[in-house]
Amino acid sequence: IEKWKQSSAYVVGRSHLSLNEVCQDRTYYASGEGVHVISLADGAGSKKKSQIGAEIVTKTICDFLIQEFDYIYMGLEKRGKEEKNYLENIKLLKKMIINLLLDKLRAYADAQLNELSSTLLFFALKNNKYIHGHIGDGVIGGLFEENDSFYLQTLSEPHNAEAANITFFVTDSDAHENLRIACGEVENLRGVILMSDG
């Protein structure tokens, strides 16, 4: 863990600059209880306060995973579980995470919920275990080392709807169905990158 470092940035894109619009991406990093978490959210371009929603969900998921990493990891592990029980448990975990995010967004009283729409990507690390989650477009990539050489591999691909410019958001009524979440062990993983569609 001592060798892991984090860095994040978000900048206003050229089209936003030309229209004098704000950057709607947000990133966040937090650590505690032996857990390190990075998150990224891309606010919906059609919504007026989506950058605020993006900020809320990135901070909320990081704080939550610091507190509940072990619980979530155990729920995601498939080992020794019957398929039906495992799938039901995953469904409950997804609903719990989305409901937590929605509660935090609803607490922001200056906007309707759909005005705070954003995607969400996150990666949490504790000892040699990790959890990653993703709703919407963007991508989570991993840098792996094997036999003294490095290679990149996608951990979570973009998830778009019927059209390439339509994706899924935390505020969607079926968000829990579109949240993808997984766990694993670090082994030869040497780095992780979270990117929005920008």
Side-chain angles (χ1 to χ4, degrees):
I1 242 358
E2 297 82 23
K3 295 179 182 178
W4 288 75
K5 298 176 184 176
Q6 66 84 26
S7 176
S8 65
Y10 52 89
V11 294
V12 182
R14 281 184 280 176
S15 64
H16 279 55
L17 278 174
S18 66
L19 297 171
N20 200 27
E21 294 177 345
V22 300
C23 179
Q24 293 163 311
D25 287 1
R26 289 296 184 268
T27 60
Y28 195 73
Y29 165 79
S31 64
E33 308 292 327
V35 181
H36 298 265
V37 193
I38 56 173
S39 61
L40 177 149
D42 182 1
S46 61
K47 305 300 180 183
K48 294 178 183 175
K49 296 191 176 184
S50 64
Q51 73 277 7
I52 296 167
E55 189 165 327
I56 291 169
V57 298
T58 53
K59 290 181 178 180
T60 300
I61 197 65
C62 285
D63 293 342
F64 175 70
L65 285 167
I66 286 171
Q67 296 167 10
E68 302 295 342
F69 184 95
D70 295 329
Y71 173 75
I72 298 298
Y73 193 92
M74 283 190 308
L76 292 171
E77 267 192 315
K78 196 171 185 177
R79 217 176 339 196
K81 296 177 184 170
E82 289 183 23
E83 186 72 13
K84 183 181 176 185
N85 293 342
Y86 172 73
L87 293 174
E88 187 60 33
N89 200 36
I90 297 294
K91 189 176 180 181
L92 292 172
L93 283 173
K94 290 179 179 184
K95 283 184 177 181
M96 180 181 66
I97 290 169
I98 293 297
N99 287 336
L100 170 72
L101 298 172
L102 292 176
D103 286 347
K104 291 290 184 177
L105 290 169
R106 287 187 187 106
Y108 181 80
D110 290 346
Q112 293 180 335
L113 190 61
N114 70 342
E115 290 299 322
L116 302 170
S117 296
S118 75
T119 64
L120 179 63
L121 299 82
F122 56 86
F123 184 91
L125 178 71
K126 182 178 182 181
N127 299 323
N128 67 331
K129 297 177 179 176
Y130 67 82
I131 297 168
H132 66 76
H134 187 177
I135 183 168
D137 51 19
V139 66
I140 302 175
L143 175 67
F144 293 84
E145 182 180 13
E146 194 172 306
N147 300 326
D148 296 324
S149 63
F150 292 89
Y151 63 95
L152 296 169
Q153 183 175 316
T154 301
L155 297 175
S156 186
E157 296 181 353
H159 189 196
N160 294 85
E162 295 81 26
N165 64 339
I166 299 174
T167 191
F168 302 99
F169 300 113
V170 169
T171 51
D172 292 346
S173 60
D174 59 352
H176 65 280
E177 293 174 13
N178 291 305
L179 174 63
R180 294 169 288 158
I181 188 166
C183 70
E185 294 188 3
V186 171
E187 295 178 9
N188 57 346
L189 181 66
R190 299 293 177 261
V192 175
I193 186 166
L194 280 57
M195 296 178 283
S196 71
D197 67 339

